[in-house]
């Protein structure tokens, strides 16, 4: 594959991660458990949407890519498309993803590849997202019994989507093995401090590890896209 | 009647507050002194000085402010709902980003306003409880539904436009923390109003379907927006006292007229029609005349019979109730850390 094509594939993978997670976080608006979290979750969603727009624009028209692709053409991780669930599920998803994204962007920012400028800017935002997820993991895990139980269940439930993050992505100049070790260290440390145990189950679905990156998604993704794309698709060619 | 709390508050008056500058007696107590405090308060308000949290203030002034600021804060957080209804369906990524930023601002306004209310000795928890149990209200405008994407534009242009017309004078409100919160709120609201106008302009100049969508939204939001200024002056329960206290600076009808005069040329630039056959320029008055407002609808919506009253409150209570375990766990975690810090010091 030519260099351009691999850069496009990588930009789609990272751009779709940011786009889809931003959308999921946007679903929280008006439903958050406390007013400060209305601000925080929307803020994280906005940061991710900003990243998505830059990344998708490297590939083509951002709106065509977001609104006119079919489900099988999206390259995001299955993790980010998982429904919000309760607040613990959202926080577990944030902890897993933002830790990955922070390590990945830090590495990309330090290199000289095509993603270095974006990663240099985004890594600062993502550091805040990671910190937000860590703080909440501690509050829920080491707060009340109910909080602990819910957080443990959420960490367990999403664990099987975490292996996909370390499948090699063409066009991304990072060592997935090293990334994975750093991720396990970092997430393990937060979970232990939150008095939670590191889940022991498999880190990929039984049928296809790395599936989201190849365009295989989970059932909740279709309805999400239907909602997201409906209005845009109802007015072909209109500008907004 | 003097209260111990009021006297105590007055004694804490700092050097920057009106009391110190106005020669309020700081030693004696009793009914005579309440009269003196009242005179000093009245003089400070008359001189356009700001009343600050530690200053003595009449109980009714405090209660009026709590009621108004709480209602304003509640309106910000309930007002997130009709717009959040479109975040997941926004038709372009640029519009999605703008809408999300706007709704996030509203949560932020809620935060400043609850904080301003806290300076009057009330807690956010208490105010939220009053909202959830129907003892405090939010602006009735948010009991109308957002049926199409154009409603996001109409809310920005008309609802936020009306809010700005109401709120700009509040930047000079006699109560300092409220006035300062409003300075920031108004800056952000003016961005919201512009994005709404620009959204409608894009629709109005777009396809025939988009233009029709914009016109339909304006048709539905125009009259409820005019109702946002409250009942006519002769039927407004709180207006006269609030004006005397300089919490309020202009009457409901004055502000409503100002808003109509601003909107008419903007509607023309948008290429949209305001749904009022009686709307016309009156040379003699130097203002636009406009048709009669259906106050029956206003009072019905206020009583709880609007299209979305039940839905808004149900969502609000559900978010609060479903979030209880999160807040409790966060509080328990904070308490453990405090205990550890205490043990560390001990």
């Amino acid at each position: 594959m030519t260099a351009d094509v691999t850069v496009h594939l990588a930009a789609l993978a990272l751009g779709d991660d940011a786009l889809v997670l931003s959308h999921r976080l946007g679903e929280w608006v008006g439903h958050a458990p406390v007013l400060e979290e209305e601000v925080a979750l929307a803020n994280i969603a906005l940061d991710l949407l900003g990243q998505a727009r830059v990344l998708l624009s490297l590939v083509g028209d951002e709106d065509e890519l977001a609104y006119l692709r079919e489900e099988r053409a999206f390259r995001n991780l299955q993790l980010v498309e998982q429904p919000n669930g309760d607040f613990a599920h959202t926080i577990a998803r944030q902890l897993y993803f933002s830790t990955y994204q922070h390590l990945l962007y830090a590495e990309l920012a330090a290199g000289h590849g095509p993603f270095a400028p974006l990663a240099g800017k985004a890594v600062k935002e993502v550091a805040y997202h990671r910190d937000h997820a860590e703080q909440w993991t501690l509050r829920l895990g080491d707060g009340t019994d109910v909080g602990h139980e819910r957080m443990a269940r959420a960490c367990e439930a999403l664990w099987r989507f975490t292996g996909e993050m370390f499948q090699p992505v063409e066009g991304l100049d990072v060592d997935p093995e090293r990334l994975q070790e750093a991720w396990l260290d970092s997430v393990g440390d937060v979970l232990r401090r939150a008095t939670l145990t590191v889940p022991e189950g498999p880190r990929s679905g039984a049928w296809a590890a790395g599936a989201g990156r190849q365009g295989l998604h989970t059932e909740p993704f279709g309805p999400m896209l239907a909602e997201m794309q409906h209005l845009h698709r109802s007015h072909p060619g209109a500008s907004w | 009647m003097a209260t111990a709390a009021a006297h105590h508050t007055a004694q804490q008056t700092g050097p920057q507050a009106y009391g110190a500058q106005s020669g309020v007696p700081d030693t004696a107590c009793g009914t005579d002194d309440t009269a003196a405090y009242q005179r000093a308060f009245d003089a400070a308000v008359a001189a356009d000085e700001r009343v600050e949290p530690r200053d003595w203030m009449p109980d009714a002034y405090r209660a009026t402010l709590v009621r108004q600021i709480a209602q304003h804060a509640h309106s910000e957080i309930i007002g997130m709902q009709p717009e959040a209804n479109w975040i997941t369906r926004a038709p372009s990524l640029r519009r999605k980003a703008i809408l999300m930023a706007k709704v996030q601002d509203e949560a932020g306004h809620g935060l400043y306003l609850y904080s301003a209310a806290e300076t009057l000795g009330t807690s956010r928890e208490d105010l939220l409880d009053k909202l959830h149990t129907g003892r405090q209200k939010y602006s009735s405008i948010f009991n109308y539904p957002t049926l199409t994407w154009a409603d996001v534009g109409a809310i920005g242009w008309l609802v936020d436009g009306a809010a700005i017309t109401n709120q700009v004078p509040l930047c000079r409100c006699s109560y300092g923390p409220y006035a300062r919160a409003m300075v920031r709120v108004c800056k952000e609201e003016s961005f919201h109003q512009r994005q709404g106008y620009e959204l409608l302009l894009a629709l109005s100049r777009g396809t025939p379907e988009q233009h029709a969508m914009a016109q339909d939204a304006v048709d539905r939001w125009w009259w409820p927006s005019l109702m946002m200024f409250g009942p006519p002056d002769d039927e407004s329960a709180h207006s006269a006292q609030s004006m005397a206290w300089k919490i309020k600076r202009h009457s409901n009808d004055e502000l409503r007229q100002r808003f109509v005069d601003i909107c008419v040329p903007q509607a023309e630039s948008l290429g949209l029609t305001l749904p009022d056959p009686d709307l016309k320029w009156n040379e003699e008055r130097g203002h636009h005349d406009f048709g009669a407002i259906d106050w029956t609808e206003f009072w019905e919506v206020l009583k709880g019979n609007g299209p979305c009253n039940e839905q808004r409150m149900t969502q609000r209570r559900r978010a609060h109730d479903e979030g209880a375990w999160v807040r409790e766990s966060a509080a328990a975690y904070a308490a453990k850390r405090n205990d550890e810090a205490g043990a560390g010091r001990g």
Side-chain angles (χ1 to χ4, degrees), chain B residues 165 250-265 276 278-291:
Chain B
T165 310
H250 306 280
S251 79
N252 295 353
D253 288 329
E254 253 174 80
L255 291 168
R256 188 166 14 244
Q257 180 70 61
R258 185 179 295 178
F259 177 67
V260 171
D261 290 339
I262 290 170
C263 287
V264 170
D276 179 358
D278 297 328
L279 190 64
K280 60 174 183 301
W281 178 250
N282 181 327
E283 192 64 52
E284 208 172 301
R285 290 201 307 124
H287 291 291
H288 292 87
D289 291 338
F290 53 96

Side-chain angles (χ1 to χ4, degrees), chain B residues 231-245:
Chain B
D233 294 346
D234 49 7
E235 291 171 34
S236 176
H238 306 290
S239 280
Q241 181 61 74
S242 286
M243 290 191 50
W245 278 331

Side-chain angles (χ1 to χ4, degrees), chain B residues 42-320:
Chain B
D42 292 343
V45 170
D48 273 334
E49 286 173 39
R50 287 278 163 81
V51 178
E52 295 298 337
R54 290 169 163 221
D55 292 338
W56 184 91
M57 63 187 84
D59 290 345
Y61 175 85
R62 186 184 298 274
T64 296
L65 279 168
V66 168
R67 180 180 55 76
Q68 182 171 336
I69 298 172
Q71 175 164 336
H72 192 166
H74 300 331
S75 301
E76 296 284 356
I77 62 167
I78 297 285
M80 294 169 69
Q81 290 184 27
E83 293 181 285
N85 182 35
W86 283 94
I87 287 178
T88 54
R89 290 177 289 168
S92 73
L93 297 186
R94 173 172 169 265
R95 291 288 174 200
K96 189 174 187 168
I98 292 171
L99 181 56
M100 217 153 21
K102 174 180 195 289
V103 181
Q104 186 200 22
D105 282 350
E106 278 148 17
H109 296 172
L111 280 175
Y112 318 148
L113 289 162
Y114 286 118
S115 301
E118 283 178 339
T119 66
L120 292 158
T122 180
S123 69
R124 196 205 302 180
E125 289 67 29
D126 180 47
L127 297 178
L128 283 175
D129 186 57
K130 289 195 167 96
L131 170 67
H132 298 153
T133 52
R135 286 174 294 156
Q136 282 180 345
K137 294 197 179 304
Y138 55 88
S139 175
S140 270
I141 193 75
F142 301 118
N143 290 318
Y144 290 87
T146 48
L147 301 179
T148 73
W149 170 251
D151 290 33
V152 172
I155 288 187
W157 178 44
L158 294 174
V159 174
D160 293 330
I164 295 169
T165 310
N166 264 330
Q167 290 167 7
V168 165
L170 290 175
C171 300
R172 295 187 294 126
C173 158
S174 57
Y175 187 59
Y178 191 30
R180 288 188 289 274
M182 291 318 300
V183 171
R184 186 154 168 196
V185 169
C186 283
K187 279 184 193 157
E188 293 179 347
E189 290 294 350
S190 98
F191 155 76
H192 297 171
Q193 199 261 352
R194 280 203 302 274
Q195 70 80 33
Y197 179 89
E198 197 251 333
L199 190 162
L200 285 177
L201 189 64
L203 293 179
S204 181
R205 293 179 177 174
T207 65
E209 291 78 14
Q210 286 177 308
H211 181 89
M213 194 192 280
Q215 183 62 57
D216 168 60
V218 169
D219 289 349
R220 284 182 287 109
W221 287 94
W222 172 249
W223 291 106
S225 301
L226 293 192
M227 296 176 198
M228 284 176 68
F229 297 93
D233 294 346
D234 49 7
E235 291 171 34
S236 176
H238 306 290
S239 280
Q241 181 61 74
S242 286
M243 290 191 50
W245 278 331
K246 295 190 181 172
I247 293 173
K248 196 173 165 131
R249 298 264 177 176
H250 306 280
S251 79
N252 295 353
D253 288 329
E254 253 174 80
L255 291 168
R256 188 166 14 244
Q257 180 70 61
R258 185 179 295 178
F259 177 67
V260 171
D261 290 339
I262 290 170
C263 287
V264 170
Q266 291 181 349
E268 279 169 25
S269 315
L270 282 170
L272 297 170
T273 311
L274 295 172
D276 179 358
D278 297 328
L279 190 64
K280 60 174 183 301
W281 178 250
N282 181 327
E283 192 64 52
E284 208 172 301
R285 290 201 307 124
H287 291 291
H288 292 87
D289 291 338
F290 53 96
I293 293 171
D294 179 2
W295 291 109
T296 314
E297 175 179 318
F298 174 80
W299 293 113
E300 280 301 310
V301 177
L302 199 68
K303 270 192 287 181
N305 301 325
C308 300
N309 300 57
E310 189 62 36
Q311 178 190 331
R312 301 286 184 244
M313 285 308 295
T314 301
Q315 180 176 329
R316 179 87 275 285
R317 285 194 209 102
R318 188 191 299 139
H320 190 75

Side-chain angles (χ1 to χ4, degrees), chain A residues 51 101-102 105-106 109 118-128:
Chain A
Q51 294 165 17
Q101 209 191 15
H102 188 243
Y105 279 15
L118 164 91
K121 181 170 175 287
V123 74
K124 293 175 200 145
E125 298 168 352
V126 176
Y128 160 76

Side-chain angles (χ1 to χ4, degrees), chain A residues 158-169:
Chain A
L158 293 171
W159 189 247
R160 71 193 177 91
F161 295 106
T162 60
E164 192 188 347
M165 297 188 285
F166 309 104
Q167 299 292 318
V169 176

Side-chain angles (χ1 to χ4, degrees), chain A residues 69-146:
Chain A
R69 270 183 300 161
E70 297 292 324
E71 177 176 337
R72 297 279 275 107
F74 277 81
R75 291 288 178 267
N76 54 282
L77 298 165
Q78 291 183 348
L79 175 68
V80 296
E81 75 203 30
Q82 295 313 304
N84 288 335
D86 66 2
F87 190 68
H89 279 74
T90 290
I91 291 302
R93 194 181 58 197
Q94 285 302 111
L95 178 71
Y96 292 166
F97 181 73
S98 62
T99 302
Y100 157 74
Q101 209 191 15
H102 188 243
L103 291 165
L104 176 66
Y105 279 15
E107 198 151 326
L108 293 175
H112 301 286
F115 300 110
L118 164 91
K121 181 170 175 287
V123 74
K124 293 175 200 145
E125 298 168 352
V126 176
Y128 160 76
H129 305 172
R130 209 201 66 82
D131 185 55
H132 172 262
E134 175 179 330
Q135 293 306 316
W136 271 110
T137 303
L138 295 173
R139 288 183 195 117
L140 300 182
D142 191 18
T144 59
D145 290 346
V146 174

